């Protein structure tokens, strides 16, 4: 081998040193962790433990007696268990309808509807309660009518709701494929007009004939259970809809359109395609809505009138017992709310672990997610 050939052999190039990830000093990491643990312990852990310590300070027997033997406390628990499911059901129906309209359709007022859904986040609950008092109170817009003959509107309201349900059921069960439609399914307009008139008339005159609703009696909304339901539903208004809108937008309408093109009806498409795609967002919204409804105080305080045994929910009962210096009783009721909050938190954590990762969500995936 010649000298020139030896010199021509390329020499191996030393590999460039890899850049190690930078980390904060240990004292910074442990200092921030310690501060976070101290704040959480002082503001959350210690107060929660103190609630149970105070509730059980006089023994388990007194604790149980404060919850069961006190009729006003027992009524407050039952009232809370009545108001919360009703408000939750109303928000569940509205949330699904609003999320479907916003995620699937482009219509005038779509932005306004989205902003209106967020309104309870920016309005104080006390202001919300005052709003209902100004509308349905004795000196409000509908107060004189409700006081004179408030039940007179109920036959019209229930009949109208029945007509809306009839129309929705028609479109949900109507076959999406024109070939599968037979008979009256091909004539939606006359069916809806005639059917709505029959449903409205039968239900309206049936209520009048059987005197379902009392006459010449006042209908109490404020300082009664309906007012509590309205106030609770208002403050929990955004939770279900706000959880479902991004989920439905991410899923897209492709699978639903495919189901319709294959002949599925609206009801079949909803239960077999839409619900599986939105189930985690739906459950998450229900959990958040339930947690917010159980602990609502401000709006409920304004519309309830604070009537013991009638309009006191659990948060209001806690405040009243505390003002009466019945600390074991107030902490006993507070412990029940705390247990509900802990159960809600556990359900939330378990749900977050089951929620699929971003790469597994339906809809278009990015290159990075696919990799």
């Amino acid at each position: 081998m010649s000298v020139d050939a030896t010199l021509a052999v390329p020499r191996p190039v030393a590999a460039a040193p890899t850049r190690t990830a930078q980390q904060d000093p240990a004292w910074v990491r442990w200092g921030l962790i310690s501060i976070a643990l101290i704040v959480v312990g002082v503001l959350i852990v210690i107060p929660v433990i103190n609630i149970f310590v105070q509730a059980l300070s006089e023994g388990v027997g007194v604790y149980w007696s404060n919850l069961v033997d006190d009729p006003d406390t027992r009524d407050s628990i039952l009232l809370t268990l009545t108001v919360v499911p009703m408000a939750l059901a109303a928000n569940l129906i509205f949330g699904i309808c609003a999320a479907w309209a916003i995620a699937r359709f482009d219509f005038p007022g779509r932005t306004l509807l989205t902003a209106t859904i967020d309104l309870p986040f920016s309005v104080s609950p006390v202001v919300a309660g005052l709003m209902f008092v100004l509308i349905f109170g004795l000196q409000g817009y509908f107060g004189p009518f409700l006081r004179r003959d408030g039940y007179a509107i109920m036959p019209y309201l229930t009949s109208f709701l029945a007509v809306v349900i009839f129309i929705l059921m028609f479109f949900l069960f109507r076959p999406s494929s024109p070939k599968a439609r037979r008979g009256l399914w091909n004539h939606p307009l006359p069916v809806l007009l005639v059917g709505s008139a029959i449903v409205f008339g039968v239900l309206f005159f049936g209520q009048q004939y059987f005197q379902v609703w009392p006459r010449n009696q006042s209908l109490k909304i404020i300082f009664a259970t309906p007012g509590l339901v309205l106030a609770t539903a208002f403050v929990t208004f955004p939770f279900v809809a706000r959880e479902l809108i991004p989920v439905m937008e991410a899923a897209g309408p492709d699978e639903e359109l495919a189901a319709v093109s294959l002949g599925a009806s609206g009801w079949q498409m909803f239960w077999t395609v839409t619900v599986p795609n939105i189930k985690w967002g739906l459950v998450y919204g229900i959990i958040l809505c339930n947690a917010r409804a159980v602990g609502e105080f401000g709006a409920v305080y304004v519309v309830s009138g604070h009537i013991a045994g009638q309009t006191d929910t659990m948060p209001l009962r806690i405040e009243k017992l505390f003002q009466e210096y019945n600390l074991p009783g107030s902490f006993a009721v507070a412990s029940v709310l705390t247990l509900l909050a802990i159960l809600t938190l556990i359900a939330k954590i378990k749900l977050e672990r089951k929620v699929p990762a971003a790469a597994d969500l339906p809809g278009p995936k990015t290159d990075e997610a696919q990799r």
Side-chain angles (χ1 to χ4, degrees), residues 180-188 191:
R181 297 172 188 168
R182 297 289 187 273
L184 296 177
W185 292 120
N186 292 317
H187 307 282
V191 169

Side-chain angles (χ1 to χ4, degrees), residues 12 24 54 71 82 95 98 175 178 187 205 220 226 230 243 250 257 259 269-270 297 304-306 333 346 354 358:
D24 293 325
Q54 294 292 337
T82 302
H187 307 282
F205 290 108
K220 292 188 65 175
L230 287 175
E243 291 296 328
L257 293 175
M269 177 198 67
F270 178 75
F297 181 85
S304 68
H306 228 314
V333 183
I346 293 174
K354 292 183 179 180

Side-chain angles (χ1 to χ4, degrees), residues 283-326:
V283 175
Y284 196 74
I286 292 174
I287 290 175
L288 294 179
C289 184
N290 178 75
R292 182 69 177 86
V294 169
E296 174 54 31
F297 181 85
V300 171
Y301 186 91
V302 176
V303 302
S304 68
H306 228 314
I307 306 173
Q310 297 183 23
T311 60
D312 269 350
T313 58
M314 293 173 66
L316 301 184
R317 185 60 184 163
I318 293 171
E319 189 261 350
K320 181 173 289 187
L321 290 172
F322 188 79
Q323 288 184 349
E324 295 173 354
Y325 300 101
N326 187 354

Side-chain angles (χ1 to χ4, degrees), residues 7-271:
L7 295 175
V9 176
R11 297 179 179 178
V13 180
T18 58
R19 186 177 181 181
T20 59
Q22 295 182 355
Q23 290 184 344
D24 293 325
W27 67 271
V28 174
R29 300 197 306 270
W30 288 108
L32 293 176
I33 293 174
S34 301
I35 292 174
L37 291 177
I38 291 172
V39 171
V40 170
V42 172
L43 297 181
I44 298 177
V45 177
I46 294 178
V48 169
I49 295 176
N50 183 64
I51 288 175
F52 292 97
V53 171
Q54 294 292 337
L56 298 171
S57 61
E58 298 184 4
V60 178
V62 177
Y63 173 80
W64 183 255
S65 177
N66 287 327
L67 291 178
V68 178
D69 294 341
D70 187 352
D72 292 339
T73 299
R74 188 170 59 248
D75 291 337
S76 69
I77 296 175
L78 294 176
L79 181 61
T80 301
L81 297 179
T82 302
V83 171
V84 171
M86 295 175 67
L88 183 61
N91 282 321
L92 180 62
I93 296 173
F94 169 79
I96 294 175
C97 296
W100 189 297
I102 293 173
R104 294 291 181 264
F105 304 102
D106 189 8
F107 54 91
R110 182 173 179 268
T111 304
L112 179 62
L113 177 60
T114 306
T116 304
I117 292 175
D118 295 333
L119 185 62
F121 284 142
S122 57
V123 175
S124 170
V126 176
V127 176
L130 180 61
M131 174 186 67
F132 287 112
V133 172
L134 295 177
I135 295 176
F136 300 107
L138 293 180
Q139 306 300 325
Y141 294 106
F142 301 109
F145 168 75
L146 294 174
R147 186 178 183 181
R148 182 178 63 253
D149 190 12
Y151 286 97
I153 197 175
M154 296 305 296
Y156 297 94
L157 181 60
T158 54
S159 301
F160 175 76
L161 291 176
V163 169
V164 172
I165 294 174
F166 168 74
I167 295 174
L168 290 176
M169 291 297 102
F170 177 85
F171 285 108
L172 283 175
F173 288 99
R174 186 190 185 201
S176 57
S177 175
K179 296 181 180 180
R181 297 172 188 168
R182 297 289 187 273
L184 296 177
W185 292 120
N186 292 317
H187 307 282
L189 185 59
V191 169
L192 292 179
L193 291 177
V194 176
S196 298
I198 293 175
V199 170
F200 187 91
V202 170
L203 192 58
F204 177 80
F205 290 108
Q207 293 177 85
Q208 296 284 49
Y209 179 79
F210 292 103
Q211 297 183 0
V212 177
W213 307 103
R215 298 181 179 180
N216 300 323
Q217 292 189 17
S218 61
L219 174 61
K220 292 188 65 175
I221 294 180
I222 303 301
F223 306 155
T225 301
L228 302 179
V229 175
L230 287 175
T232 305
F234 179 84
V235 297
T236 57
F237 192 65
F239 288 100
V240 176
R242 266 302 169 193
E243 291 296 328
L244 290 182
I245 290 172
V247 174
M248 296 186 70
E249 288 179 344
D254 296 339
E255 295 182 11
E256 296 168 354
L257 293 175
V260 172
S261 65
L262 293 174
S265 63
W267 190 255
Q268 292 173 330
M269 177 198 67
F270 178 75
W271 282 109

